[in-house]
Amino acid sequence: EPEVTQTPSHQVTQMGQEVILRCVPISNHLYFYWYRQILGQKVEFLVSFYNNEISEKSEIFDDQFSVERPDGSNFTLKIRSTKLEDSAMYFCASSTHMNTEAFFGQGTRLTVV
Amino acid sequence: QQQVKQSPQSLIVQKGGISIINCAYENTAFDYFPWYQQFPGKGPALLIAIRPDVSEKKEGRFTISFNKSAKQFSLHIMDSQPGDSATYFCAAIPNTGNQFYFGTGTSLTVIP
């Protein structure tokens, strides 16, 4: 069964450093997303991406964040100048269409120390 | 502003019992309502979903009941099993967007 894969599963970084989280969405999907989940809290939307551009973003997704689809398979989230409060699980998701089910990856646990 | 309100926060059910989780929303632009199941350390996995043109959808032991006029929907897990112990999130998506608005989650524990 096709699935969304994310790497790494766990990333530890020092405050102020830049991190890149990687995702391989399901191959025939057109819409890509990043969500985050702070420990014990709900899943929060960060950004959606379609046709090589951002289609929606939340208030959380400020200039510290950027997304890219560098080739035909990968989808990345870059976080610049990481802060302690960026520590969370980051989930990539993808869907075939707008306004329909999305499939989530296993997540990358980011720990900022 | 919390777009989707979910209750209860936690739920303990005996094996074989019925687990019921409720969600409510305000935004009438929402028109797709999935439920996700999440085990510790894993990503949310789609369980079942419904659109507002039907009042109920059943898949195996899982049923969504949808009340459009009340703007409420609920997940029923029949014959609950210990393997169902997980966190359940309801979500809603507007008809013009892609953003999932998740509820705050319900931690379900099914005791043998």
Side-chain angles (χ1 to χ4, degrees), chain B residues 22-33:
Chain B
N22 301 298
C23 284
Y25 64 97
E26 287 297 324
N27 189 346
T28 54
F30 289 148
D31 76 343
Y32 182 73
F33 303 90

Side-chain angles (χ1 to χ4, degrees), chain A residues 58-99:
Chain A
S58 71
E59 294 175 352
I60 302 169
F61 194 87
D62 58 20
D63 292 343
Q64 187 192 4
F65 296 88
S66 62
V67 289
E68 193 177 33
R69 187 156 165 82
D71 53 43
S73 60
N74 291 286
F75 180 51
T76 62
L77 174 68
K78 182 187 291 185
I79 310 174
R80 290 178 280 273
S81 301
T82 50
K83 299 174 280 193
L84 295 177
E85 53 265 37
D86 294 328
S87 296
M89 281 288 279
Y90 287 81
F91 294 107
C92 175
S94 68
S95 64
T96 53
H97 299 89
M98 211 174 82
N99 185 246

Side-chain angles (χ1 to χ4, degrees), chain A residues 35 37 56 98-99 102 106, chain B residues 31 36 38 51 94 98 100:
Chain A
Y35 285 80
Q37 186 178 31
E56 277 185 84
M98 211 174 82
N99 185 246
Q106 296 294 295
Chain B
D31 76 343
Y36 282 84
Q38 185 180 33
R51 293 201 184 268
N98 292 317
F100 280 56

Side-chain angles (χ1 to χ4, degrees), chain A residues 31 33 35 37 41-45 48 55-56 58 89 91 97-107 109, chain B residues 2-3 31-32 36 38 41-44 46 49 51 89 93-105:
Chain A
Y31 293 82
Y33 315 89
Y35 285 80
Q37 186 178 31
Q41 298 186 24
K42 69 177 179 179
V43 181
E44 299 175 293
F45 172 77
S48 63
S55 52
E56 277 185 84
S58 71
M89 281 288 279
F91 294 107
H97 299 89
M98 211 174 82
N99 185 246
T100 190
E101 65 216 9
F103 295 86
F104 284 74
Q106 296 294 295
R109 178 171 298 283
Chain B
Q2 196 167 317
Q3 296 267 6
D31 76 343
Y32 182 73
Y36 282 84
Q38 185 180 33
K42 302 295 185 183
L46 180 68
R51 293 201 184 268
F89 291 95
I93 311 171
N95 53 17
T96 55
N98 292 317
Q99 179 179 169
F100 280 56
Y101 292 88
F102 281 89
T104 49

